[in-house]
Amino acid sequence: MNKKIASLSIACALFNYSHQALALDKPQSMEEMWKIIQMQQVQLDAMKSSLQANEKQAEQPNQQEIKKLTHKTNVLTELMEDMRTALVIPEEKEYKSAYGLGPAASKVYQVDQGLSIGGYGEVNIQSFIGDKGPKDQNNADFERLVVYMGYKFTDNIIFNSEIEFEHASTGNAGSVGVEMAAIDFLWDPMLNARAGMLLMPMGFVNTIHEPPFYFGNNRPEVERAIIPSTWREVGAGIFGQITPEFTYTAYAVTGLDAEDFSSKGIRGGRQKGSKAVNEDMAFVGRIDYAPEEIKGFSVGFSTYLGNSGQGKVGADVFTQLYEAHVQWKYRGWEFRTLGAFGHIGDADVLSANKGETVGSSNYGVYTELAYDVMPHFLPDSGQYFAPFIRYEKLDTVASTANGLPDDLSKEQDIYQIGFNYKPIPQVVIKVDYRNRNAKQGAKADEFNVGFGFIY
Amino acid sequence: MYKVVFLLCCLLLTSVCQAKVFYSKAEAMELAFGAGAKVEKLSLFPMEPQSQKIRQLARVNKVPSLFTFYVVQEQGKVLKYAAIESHQVRTKPETLLVVLNVLGELEKVHTLAFHEPAEYQPSERWYAQLYALAIEELSFNRSVQGITGATLSSRAALDSVRLVLAMYQVMIEEK
């Protein structure tokens, strides 16, 4: 801007000067003309140098200012970067060692996590659209609202809990319960311990049952009726990884209570750590294998063994449940299959006590396949849209003791189709249709819409 | 009774510690560049058009307005780039060291700190599948396979790696 003004001034000055010179007296010869030009040149040079000096004067403070500002920015940037990293990791090795020993050092570096809160929830709207029975009413249900609370006493002793509000209100059909509350003692990746209210490490859903991580509004029926998720009992045990490929979990827990077994299976026998009778204990163990060679693939099995009589039914009721599962995630495809088989000892005694056939064995299998199509439509969005199909077969009265009559209504085939849409990884919108068929009697088909979230 | 004995054993053995902060910053620099290397900071300030490009490339919602690469130079030429990237996994943070080679390809990822439960932490061998992959291949629908039971942490880690690569491509490679 300054330069423009200066150039304009020079032009005006030159014009005025030549105009005046011409007006006073015209040059009489080439020599006079040359003198005038030389004079003009001298004056022009003088004006130019004066202008340059002015410009230099004007620029000098700016450059100094810029230098100062650059220096300040560099210092602040360095400080900012140091502070940013110091919030998450210590600067020096010595301090890291100190961090491992106690909370004081961690507070210095502000990485003490202490109390943490998380949770999840899910809401479903269920409409019955076929084979509707008198009890099948369309409904809307805030099925679960769960609060996770954890506290890190030290880096190695950590408390985790899951408190669930089910069906929105205890005034109606709802309940409030502790689903999980355990202290972890972390020693080594190979060997750690856990004690408290434990989730039985069986199947996919019992341990990981947050809505974004399974398909459909309802959990797979096999993981409800045969593996009675959410299945939790009081106990203690160990967990860890034998190698990076093998992980294991083994717990000793309070046994099931066979008094509440029924033709629907063992689900009613969960004691849920609520004044649980502990006359009989049980063992539950699980091993998973995720081979290095096949990324995204894992296979595993689990076992539950223990008496369930609890001194209440006049028999031991040795209860066994075996489960195997395979999962593979590959290039947007997600495949899961699971099979579970259970055996209930003294089922004849239980059936006589109950007045209905309690199956001496039960089983369930399901398989599902999904594919995330979103990268084909909105590759940069980071969103997820996966249509899925699932097939389930289960029977809670697969065999009976001493020729007791079978309950064929408990043998079911379920076909399910739908999709999970996640605008962000923590929020899911679900739509699905379930076609349920029993060997005897009608089972209503459902259309379900819902959403879930975790935080 | 054996439960009580078992718990007592647990308590006695807890003195054998395993920290959740695995490496200090000094150690992280050693991991990236080797011992004794002269590490310099390269601070980047993405402007809005660049941020937009980074967002698009990395497929993330947020791009920091200040980003620092740690570099080692030889005769004025950068030999390696490293970034310390922190992000929330679920409710707790994770800090990664992401190392790029001279060509800006992903060379190594180390977990510096992980505050979620240990079972959700992606393993080193899971990170190994990401090495040298192009940024567009860093997706569960392309060349990366997920982890059962650690969906959020593997997704967050993948976002982080893509962000570092995108930052390099837009702020350094394109200049």
Side-chain angles (χ1 to χ4, degrees):
Chain A
M1 188 66 181
N2 284 341
K3 276 185 178 178
K4 274 184 183 175
I5 293 167
S7 309
L8 202 63
S9 313
I10 291 170
C12 290
L14 282 173
F15 177 77
N16 284 338
Y17 178 82
S18 21
H19 192 72
Q20 280 165 15
L22 284 171
L24 287 173
D25 44 3
K26 286 179 186 171
Q28 299 299 310
S29 64
M30 283 298 285
E31 275 181 11
E32 271 180 292
M33 180 78 161
W34 179 236
K35 272 182 189 172
I36 291 168
I37 289 172
Q38 276 179 324
M39 276 172 64
Q40 281 180 340
Q41 189 60 46
V42 169
Q43 285 194 351
L44 190 62
D45 287 346
M47 286 174 79
K48 259 187 183 174
S49 49
S50 145
L51 188 66
Q52 273 171 357
N54 284 342
E55 275 180 354
K56 221 174 186 180
Q57 265 181 351
E59 270 175 17
Q60 235 165 8
N62 276 347
Q63 276 174 356
Q64 277 172 359
E65 199 67 29
I66 287 166
K67 262 188 183 174
K68 265 187 195 172
L69 282 172
T70 309
H71 176 69
K72 276 183 190 172
T73 309
N74 286 343
V75 169
L76 287 172
T77 305
E78 290 231 339
L79 276 175
M80 181 95 153
E81 176 57 23
D82 289 345
M83 280 168 65
R84 194 179 68 85
T85 51
L87 283 173
V88 287
I89 49 169
E91 192 74 20
E92 297 297 330
K93 193 178 176 180
E94 298 78 57
Y95 292 113
K96 188 201 76 179
S97 305
Y99 175 85
L101 293 174
S106 65
K107 273 178 184 158
V108 168
Y109 289 100
Q110 300 176 42
V111 287
D112 178 26
Q113 297 306 308
L115 181 71
S116 66
I117 295 174
Y120 70 89
E122 56 186 319
V123 182
N124 303 322
I125 297 171
Q126 186 176 45
S127 306
F128 294 100
I129 53 174
D131 302 323
K132 196 172 171 176
K135 287 183 180 173
D136 299 323
Q137 288 183 311
N138 295 345
N139 61 83
D141 189 21
F142 203 122
E143 199 172 348
R144 292 182 182 89
L145 183 65
V146 174
V147 179
Y148 285 123
M149 272 194 286
Y151 194 82
K152 191 161 98 174
F153 299 102
T154 71
D155 281 335
N156 312 93
I157 304 178
I158 293 163
F159 171 74
N160 276 309
S161 69
E162 187 178 340
I163 298 162
E164 181 176 65
F165 299 83
E166 232 174 23
H167 307 298
S169 165
T170 51
N172 207 348
S175 63
V176 178
V178 176
E179 277 214 335
M180 186 266 287
I183 296 186
D184 284 359
F185 302 93
L186 307 173
W187 307 324
D188 185 274
M190 281 181 80
L191 183 65
N192 306 284
R194 182 170 286 156
M197 175 90 89
L198 307 175
L199 292 169
M200 301 294 95
M202 299 196 83
F204 293 113
V205 169
N206 202 59
T207 48
I208 300 170
H209 42 250
E210 291 132 324
F213 305 132
Y214 65 88
F215 290 100
N217 284 276
N218 300 94
R219 298 170 181 183
E221 200 58 24
V222 171
E223 296 211 58
R224 228 185 65 82
I226 309 300
I227 301 170
S229 66
T230 308
W231 185 8
R232 68 275 195 187
E233 302 291 350
V234 171
I238 54 173
F239 65 97
Q241 55 179 42
I242 303 160
T243 70
E245 296 181 327
F246 276 102
T247 56
Y248 72 92
T249 310
Y251 299 148
V253 294
T254 51
L256 290 161
D257 183 355
E259 198 173 35
D260 293 315
F261 286 1
S262 71
S263 59
K264 290 179 181 170
I266 62 173
R267 189 174 176 81
R270 296 172 301 168
Q271 298 206 73
K272 304 175 187 174
S274 178
K275 291 190 176 177
V277 184
N278 197 24
E279 293 294 323
D280 290 315
M281 292 196 73
F283 162 83
V284 61
R286 174 190 183 114
I287 284 182
D288 280 291
Y289 173 60
E292 165 68 24
E293 294 74 27
I294 315 170
K295 298 276 188 315
F297 177 85
S298 68
V299 57
F301 66 88
S302 60
T303 301
Y304 173 93
L305 301 169
N307 287 344
S308 307
Q310 303 290 6
K312 292 162 82 176
V313 295
D316 287 339
V317 194
F318 183 56
T319 306
Q320 306 164 60
L321 184 59
Y322 305 95
E323 169 271 332
H325 53 265
V326 174
Q327 177 164 270
W328 197 7
K329 292 181 175 183
Y330 183 74
R331 289 182 174 257
W333 290 96
E334 291 176 55
F335 170 76
R336 266 185 181 183
T337 191
L338 179 147
F341 170 79
H343 188 270
I344 300 170
D346 304 309
D348 49 345
V349 177
L350 297 178
S351 300
N353 290 352
K354 197 85 182 172
E356 66 181 52
T357 302
V358 174
S360 59
S361 69
N362 52 67
Y363 75 89
V365 291
Y366 79 86
T367 188
E368 69 182 25
L369 183 68
Y371 181 67
D372 177 16
V373 299
M374 195 56 100
H376 298 289
F377 300 104
L378 294 169
D380 301 329
S381 68
Q383 297 182 26
Y384 171 99
F385 183 92
F388 75 95
I389 50 169
R390 179 189 292 148
Y391 169 70
E392 295 188 77
K393 186 169 184 66
L394 68 149
D395 190 355
T396 53
V397 189
S399 66
T400 60
N402 298 337
L404 285 164
D406 193 356
D407 183 348
L408 296 173
S409 69
K410 301 294 181 274
E411 188 176 342
Q412 288 185 57
D413 291 280
I414 303 170
Y415 301 88
Q416 193 170 0
I417 188 166
F419 67 80
N420 279 16
Y421 167 60
K422 298 184 207 174
I424 57 169
Q426 293 91 341
V427 173
V428 63
I429 294 163
K430 299 180 175 188
V431 175
D432 68 86
Y433 166 73
R434 282 211 297 188
N435 181 294
R436 304 177 65 156
N437 302 289
K439 204 162 186 182
Q440 189 179 63
K443 287 277 177 193
D445 302 335
E446 308 156 4
F447 179 72
N448 302 299
V449 182
F451 71 88
F453 56 88
I454 58 168
Y455 58 91
Chain B
M1 178 63 187
Y2 65 85
K3 264 201 309 190
V4 177
V5 174
F6 184 69
L7 281 173
L8 280 173
C9 290
C10 296
L11 287 168
L12 286 171
L13 285 166
T14 47
S15 56
V16 185
C17 292
Q18 189 204 357
K20 290 295 176 73
V21 174
F22 301 107
Y23 297 103
S24 68
K25 192 172 169 184
E27 286 172 305
M29 293 300 107
E30 270 191 42
L31 281 173
F33 305 110
K38 192 185 167 210
V39 182
E40 294 168 46
K41 284 174 192 160
L42 176 61
S43 298
L44 305 169
F45 304 87
M47 306 293 278
E48 186 43 40
Q50 292 163 321
S51 290
Q52 203 177 340
K53 208 166 179 188
I54 292 165
R55 260 198 299 274
Q56 213 169 14
L57 261 177
R59 282 164 272 155
V60 294
N61 296 325
K62 262 174 83 175
V63 172
S65 44
L66 164 63
F67 190 89
T68 303
F69 270 114
Y70 296 87
V71 296
V72 159
Q73 301 195 51
E74 197 178 273
Q75 292 170 345
K77 200 182 167 196
V78 175
L79 299 179
K80 212 178 255 192
Y81 301 84
I84 293 174
E85 230 294 296
S86 272
H87 52 261
Q88 203 83 342
V89 175
R90 181 174 170 157
T91 55
K92 295 180 180 182
E94 168 186 47
T95 303
L96 299 177
L97 172 73
V98 182
V99 184
L100 310 184
N101 66 18
V102 68
L103 302 171
E105 294 167 339
L106 182 65
E107 187 177 279
K108 198 88 182 166
V109 180
H110 295 279
T111 306
L112 302 181
F114 191 84
H115 296 286
E116 291 283 358
E119 55 263 43
Y120 299 146
Q121 185 186 335
S123 64
E124 274 184 29
R125 66 197 181 101
W126 182 80
Y127 282 115
Q129 67 175 313
L130 316 181
Y131 299 160
L133 286 180
I135 194 166
E136 57 274 14
E137 288 297 314
L138 292 170
S139 151
F140 290 123
N141 281 62
R142 304 290 284 267
S143 300
V144 181
Q145 310 318 323
I147 310 172
T148 310
T151 314
L152 281 183
S153 42
S154 51
R155 189 175 285 274
L158 208 53
D159 285 351
S160 232
V161 170
R162 278 201 308 265
L163 174 69
V164 174
L165 283 171
M167 193 63 77
Y168 169 84
Q169 289 178 12
V170 174
M171 300 298 294
I172 296 172
E173 201 174 51
E174 286 186 8
K175 283 199 167 174

